[in-house]
Amino acid sequence: MSKILPALLLAVMLLHLIRPIGLPGLKRRADFWKIAVVAIVLMMLTVLIRP
Protein backbone atom coordinates (compact mmCIF):
# COMPACT_ATOMS: atom_id res chain seq x y z
CA MET A 1 0.00 0.00 0.00
CA SER A 2 2.81 2.40 0.84
CA LYS A 3 4.25 2.06 -2.68
CA ILE A 4 0.96 2.23 -4.55
CA LEU A 5 -0.20 5.45 -2.89
CA PRO A 6 2.64 7.72 -4.10
CA ALA A 7 2.41 6.33 -7.63
CA LEU A 8 -1.35 6.88 -7.71
CA LEU A 9 -1.09 10.42 -6.39
CA LEU A 10 1.70 11.26 -8.83
CA ALA A 11 -0.51 10.05 -11.68
CA VAL A 12 -3.37 12.24 -10.42
CA MET A 13 -1.04 15.25 -10.28
CA LEU A 14 0.13 14.66 -13.85
CA LEU A 15 -3.43 14.24 -15.08
CA HIS A 16 -4.42 17.46 -13.31
CA LEU A 17 -1.64 19.35 -15.12
CA ILE A 18 -2.96 18.09 -18.45
CA ARG A 19 -6.65 18.65 -17.71
CA PRO A 20 -7.86 20.14 -14.41
CA ILE A 21 -10.01 17.79 -12.36
CA GLY A 22 -12.70 20.39 -11.62
CA LEU A 23 -13.30 19.63 -7.95
CA PRO A 24 -13.76 22.59 -5.61
CA GLY A 25 -10.30 24.00 -5.00
CA LEU A 26 -8.83 22.20 -8.01
CA LYS A 27 -10.20 24.27 -10.89
CA ARG A 28 -6.88 25.64 -12.25
CA ARG A 29 -3.79 23.82 -13.46
CA ALA A 30 -1.70 25.73 -10.93
CA ASP A 31 -3.57 24.00 -8.08
CA PHE A 32 -1.68 20.73 -8.51
CA TRP A 33 0.40 21.62 -5.44
CA LYS A 34 -2.67 21.00 -3.29
CA ILE A 35 -2.65 17.38 -4.44
CA ALA A 36 1.02 17.21 -3.40
CA VAL A 37 0.18 18.49 0.08
CA VAL A 38 -2.55 15.86 0.44
CA ALA A 39 -0.09 13.22 -0.81
CA ILE A 40 2.48 14.17 1.82
CA VAL A 41 -0.13 14.03 4.58
CA LEU A 42 -1.41 10.63 3.39
CA MET A 43 2.11 9.22 3.24
CA MET A 44 2.79 10.48 6.76
CA LEU A 45 -0.39 8.79 7.96
CA THR A 46 0.64 5.51 6.33
CA VAL A 47 4.00 5.66 8.07
CA LEU A 48 2.31 6.32 11.41
CA ILE A 49 -0.19 3.47 10.97
CA ARG A 50 2.39 0.88 9.88
CA PRO A 51 3.13 -1.70 12.59
Side-chain angles (χ1 to χ4, degrees):
M1 180 68 175
S2 63
K3 293 183 182 182
I4 295 172
L5 188 62
L8 185 66
L9 289 167
L10 187 63
V12 170
M13 285 176 63
L14 289 173
L15 287 174
H16 184 74
L17 282 174
I18 295 170
R19 181 173 178 263
I21 297 172
L23 295 173
L26 296 172
K27 301 256 183 208
R28 300 180 320 197
R29 287 190 174 122
D31 291 336
F32 77 99
W33 65 270
K34 294 177 184 177
I35 300 172
V37 170
V38 170
I40 292 169
V41 168
L42 285 175
M43 284 188 269
M44 287 174 37
L45 283 174
T46 0
V47 169
L48 289 174
I49 293 174
R50 288 171 89 185

